[in-house]
Amino acid sequence: MSVDLSSVIIAVAGVAGTLGGALLTQRGSERAKRLEMELVRDHEEVRENRSLRRTCYVELNRDARQFTTALNRHLHVMRERGVEEADSHALEEAKNAHRDRYSEAQMIAPEEVLRRASVVNQALNNVYGQIKRLERGAPGPGETMEAAARAQYEIWEMLRTMRTAMRHDLGVSQPARRPMAE
Protein backbone atom coordinates (compact mmCIF):
# COMPACT_ATOMS: atom_id res chain seq x y z
CA MET A 1 0.00 0.00 0.00
CA SER A 2 2.83 2.40 0.68
CA VAL A 3 4.11 1.95 -2.87
CA ASP A 4 0.67 2.72 -4.23
CA LEU A 5 0.36 5.78 -1.97
CA SER A 6 3.80 6.97 -3.08
CA SER A 7 2.84 6.54 -6.72
CA VAL A 8 -0.37 8.48 -6.18
CA ILE A 9 1.48 11.29 -4.40
CA ILE A 10 4.08 11.45 -7.17
CA ALA A 11 1.36 11.45 -9.82
CA VAL A 12 -0.60 14.18 -8.03
CA ALA A 13 2.58 16.26 -7.64
CA GLY A 14 3.35 15.80 -11.34
CA VAL A 15 -0.14 16.84 -12.39
CA ALA A 16 -0.08 19.81 -9.98
CA GLY A 17 3.33 20.86 -11.32
CA THR A 18 2.12 20.64 -14.91
CA LEU A 19 -1.05 22.61 -14.15
CA GLY A 20 0.87 25.14 -12.03
CA GLY A 21 3.45 25.64 -14.78
CA ALA A 22 0.72 26.24 -17.34
CA LEU A 23 -0.95 28.73 -15.01
CA LEU A 24 2.32 30.58 -14.42
CA THR A 25 3.02 30.64 -18.16
CA GLN A 26 -0.45 32.01 -18.86
CA ARG A 27 -0.07 34.74 -16.22
CA GLY A 28 3.33 35.69 -17.58
CA SER A 29 1.91 35.86 -21.09
CA GLU A 30 -1.00 38.05 -19.94
CA ARG A 31 1.40 40.38 -18.13
CA ALA A 32 3.61 40.66 -21.22
CA LYS A 33 0.54 41.46 -23.36
CA ARG A 34 -0.57 44.14 -20.87
CA LEU A 35 2.89 45.72 -20.91
CA GLU A 36 2.95 45.63 -24.70
CA MET A 37 -0.49 47.27 -24.86
CA GLU A 38 0.64 50.00 -22.45
CA LEU A 39 3.75 50.65 -24.56
CA VAL A 40 1.66 50.87 -27.72
CA ARG A 41 -0.81 53.19 -25.98
CA ASP A 42 2.04 55.40 -24.69
CA HIS A 43 3.63 55.49 -28.14
CA GLU A 44 0.31 56.44 -29.73
CA GLU A 45 -0.22 59.19 -27.15
CA VAL A 46 3.24 60.64 -27.88
CA ARG A 47 2.52 60.49 -31.62
CA GLU A 48 -0.87 62.20 -31.21
CA ASN A 49 0.65 64.89 -29.00
CA ARG A 50 3.38 65.59 -31.57
CA SER A 51 0.78 65.73 -34.34
CA LEU A 52 -1.30 68.19 -32.32
CA ARG A 53 1.76 70.40 -31.71
CA ARG A 54 2.78 70.20 -35.38
CA THR A 55 -0.67 71.37 -36.51
CA CYS A 56 -0.69 74.16 -33.94
CA TYR A 57 2.83 75.27 -34.94
CA VAL A 58 2.02 75.31 -38.64
CA GLU A 59 -1.05 77.44 -38.02
CA LEU A 60 0.67 79.75 -35.53
CA ASN A 61 3.61 80.29 -37.88
CA ARG A 62 1.27 80.94 -40.82
CA ASP A 63 -1.01 83.31 -38.90
CA ALA A 64 1.86 85.24 -37.31
CA ARG A 65 3.44 85.69 -40.75
CA GLN A 66 0.10 86.78 -42.21
CA PHE A 67 -0.41 89.28 -39.38
CA THR A 68 3.10 90.65 -39.99
CA THR A 69 2.35 90.95 -43.70
CA ALA A 70 -1.01 92.60 -42.98
CA LEU A 71 0.73 95.17 -40.76
CA ASN A 72 3.19 95.91 -43.56
CA ARG A 73 0.39 96.23 -46.10
CA HIS A 74 -1.57 98.52 -43.78
CA LEU A 75 1.47 100.79 -43.38
CA HIS A 76 1.78 101.01 -47.18
CA VAL A 77 -1.93 101.81 -47.51
CA MET A 78 -1.57 104.55 -44.89
CA ARG A 79 1.34 106.10 -46.84
CA GLU A 80 -0.25 105.81 -50.29
CA ARG A 81 -3.88 106.65 -49.62
CA GLY A 82 -6.39 106.79 -46.83
CA VAL A 83 -7.32 103.62 -45.00
CA GLU A 84 -10.67 102.23 -46.06
CA GLU A 85 -12.99 99.93 -44.15
CA ALA A 86 -11.84 96.91 -46.18
CA ASP A 87 -8.22 97.62 -45.21
CA SER A 88 -9.07 97.81 -41.52
CA HIS A 89 -11.18 94.66 -41.81
CA ALA A 90 -8.29 92.72 -43.42
CA LEU A 91 -5.93 93.82 -40.63
CA GLU A 92 -8.46 92.84 -37.96
CA GLU A 93 -8.96 89.41 -39.52
CA ALA A 94 -5.21 88.76 -39.51
CA LYS A 95 -4.93 89.97 -35.92
CA ASN A 96 -7.84 87.77 -34.78
CA ALA A 97 -6.49 84.68 -36.56
CA HIS A 98 -3.12 85.16 -34.89
CA ARG A 99 -4.75 85.70 -31.49
CA ASP A 100 -6.66 82.42 -31.83
CA ARG A 101 -3.54 80.44 -32.80
CA TYR A 102 -1.47 82.01 -30.04
CA SER A 103 -4.17 81.13 -27.50
CA GLU A 104 -4.07 77.52 -28.68
CA ALA A 105 -0.27 77.42 -28.45
CA GLN A 106 -0.46 78.66 -24.86
CA MET A 107 -2.24 75.42 -23.97
CA ILE A 108 0.03 72.91 -25.73
CA ALA A 109 3.45 74.37 -26.51
CA PRO A 110 6.38 73.70 -24.19
CA GLU A 111 7.98 76.63 -22.38
CA GLU A 112 10.79 77.29 -24.89
CA VAL A 113 8.39 77.54 -27.84
CA LEU A 114 5.91 79.56 -25.80
CA ARG A 115 8.63 82.00 -24.75
CA ARG A 116 9.50 82.64 -28.43
CA ALA A 117 5.84 82.84 -29.46
CA SER A 118 5.19 85.34 -26.67
CA VAL A 119 7.97 87.62 -27.97
CA VAL A 120 6.39 87.52 -31.44
CA ASN A 121 2.90 88.10 -30.04
CA GLN A 122 4.01 91.13 -28.01
CA ALA A 123 5.89 92.63 -30.95
CA LEU A 124 2.91 92.15 -33.28
CA ASN A 125 0.53 93.75 -30.81
CA ASN A 126 2.92 96.64 -30.17
CA VAL A 127 3.19 97.41 -33.89
CA TYR A 128 -0.57 97.01 -34.28
CA GLY A 129 -1.09 99.54 -31.47
CA GLN A 130 1.35 101.99 -33.06
CA ILE A 131 -0.36 101.70 -36.43
CA LYS A 132 -3.81 102.22 -34.96
CA ARG A 133 -2.65 105.30 -33.00
CA LEU A 134 -1.00 106.69 -36.15
CA GLU A 135 -4.17 105.96 -38.11
CA ARG A 136 -6.24 107.92 -35.56
CA GLY A 137 -3.73 110.77 -35.63
CA ALA A 138 -2.82 110.28 -31.96
CA PRO A 139 0.68 108.71 -31.98
CA GLY A 140 2.57 108.13 -28.76
CA PRO A 141 6.01 109.61 -28.11
CA GLY A 142 8.42 108.52 -30.85
CA GLU A 143 5.71 106.79 -32.86
CA THR A 144 6.13 107.59 -36.53
CA MET A 145 5.41 105.71 -39.73
CA GLU A 146 9.14 105.02 -40.04
CA ALA A 147 9.40 103.71 -36.46
CA ALA A 148 6.37 101.46 -37.00
CA ALA A 149 7.83 100.17 -40.28
CA ARG A 150 11.17 99.38 -38.58
CA ALA A 151 9.42 97.59 -35.71
CA GLN A 152 7.31 95.61 -38.20
CA TYR A 153 10.41 94.61 -40.18
CA GLU A 154 12.17 93.41 -36.99
CA ILE A 155 9.35 90.93 -36.37
CA TRP A 156 10.61 88.76 -39.25
CA GLU A 157 13.72 87.79 -37.25
CA MET A 158 11.56 87.00 -34.22
CA LEU A 159 9.43 84.77 -36.45
CA ARG A 160 12.54 82.89 -37.61
CA THR A 161 13.59 82.34 -34.00
CA MET A 162 10.10 81.10 -33.08
CA ARG A 163 10.03 78.76 -36.09
CA THR A 164 13.44 77.34 -35.12
CA ALA A 165 12.19 76.60 -31.59
CA MET A 166 9.10 74.90 -33.03
CA ARG A 167 11.15 72.78 -35.43
CA HIS A 168 13.51 71.82 -32.62
CA ASP A 169 10.57 70.76 -30.43
CA LEU A 170 9.21 68.60 -33.26
CA GLY A 171 12.63 67.07 -33.85
CA VAL A 172 12.92 68.24 -37.45
CA SER A 173 15.78 70.71 -37.11
CA GLN A 174 19.33 69.52 -37.57
CA PRO A 175 22.22 70.91 -35.56
CA ALA A 176 24.45 73.26 -37.52
CA ARG A 177 27.29 71.42 -39.18
CA ARG A 178 30.84 72.55 -38.74
CA PRO A 179 32.90 72.95 -41.87
CA MET A 180 35.37 70.13 -42.33
CA ALA A 181 39.01 71.01 -41.74
CA GLU A 182 41.14 70.91 -44.83
Side-chain angles (χ1 to χ4, degrees):
M1 190 93 80
S2 67
V3 173
D4 289 334
L5 184 60
S6 297
S7 296
V8 169
I9 291 174
I10 291 173
V12 168
V15 169
T18 301
L19 293 175
L23 182 63
L24 289 175
T25 301
Q26 181 182 357
R27 282 193 172 180
S29 176
E30 288 174 0
R31 183 172 178 235
K33 284 180 183 178
R34 257 193 328 271
L35 288 174
E36 182 180 351
M37 287 174 56
E38 287 175 16
L39 287 173
V40 168
R41 204 172 20 248
D42 290 347
H43 178 71
E44 186 65 24
E45 187 176 311
V46 166
R47 193 173 70 75
E48 286 176 10
N49 188 302
R50 180 170 295 185
S51 178
L52 178 66
R53 287 193 330 269
R54 181 183 304 116
T55 300
C56 176
Y57 293 171
V58 166
E59 292 174 354
L60 178 61
N61 184 58
R62 178 199 63 217
D63 291 343
R65 292 173 62 84
Q66 287 178 342
F67 189 15
T68 303
T69 301
L71 290 168
N72 184 49
R73 182 183 178 284
H74 205 80
L75 282 166
H76 284 290
V77 166
M78 288 172 64
R79 282 189 203 110
E80 296 169 6
R81 61 174 170 78
V83 174
E84 297 172 2
E85 187 176 330
D87 302 316
S88 291
H89 183 70
L91 181 59
E92 289 302 315
E93 281 185 359
K95 177 183 179 286
N96 291 340
H98 170 72
R99 181 202 58 223
D100 292 347
R101 292 301 84 70
Y102 179 68
S103 295
E104 182 180 349
Q106 286 179 310
M107 295 298 111
I108 61 175
E111 286 301 316
E112 180 60 24
V113 172
L114 196 53
R115 203 173 9 261
R116 304 298 182 183
S118 177
V119 168
V120 169
N121 184 59
Q122 289 172 4
L124 286 166
N125 285 316
N126 287 340
V127 172
Y128 174 82
Q130 286 181 41
I131 288 174
K132 287 311 219 177
R133 285 187 292 278
L134 288 166
E135 191 179 311
R136 286 191 310 265
E143 291 183 340
T144 64
M145 293 288 281
E146 294 75 26
R150 272 192 312 275
Q152 180 275 327
Y153 180 76
E154 292 170 358
I155 294 172
W156 290 108
E157 184 59 37
M158 295 173 208
L159 286 169
R160 280 188 280 282
T161 302
M162 179 182 75
R163 184 180 62 238
T164 299
M166 291 173 177
R167 289 175 54 84
H168 179 73
D169 178 49
L170 294 173
V172 294
S173 61
Q174 299 295 323
R177 293 186 177 175
R178 291 183 169 192
M180 296 179 67
E182 293 182 29

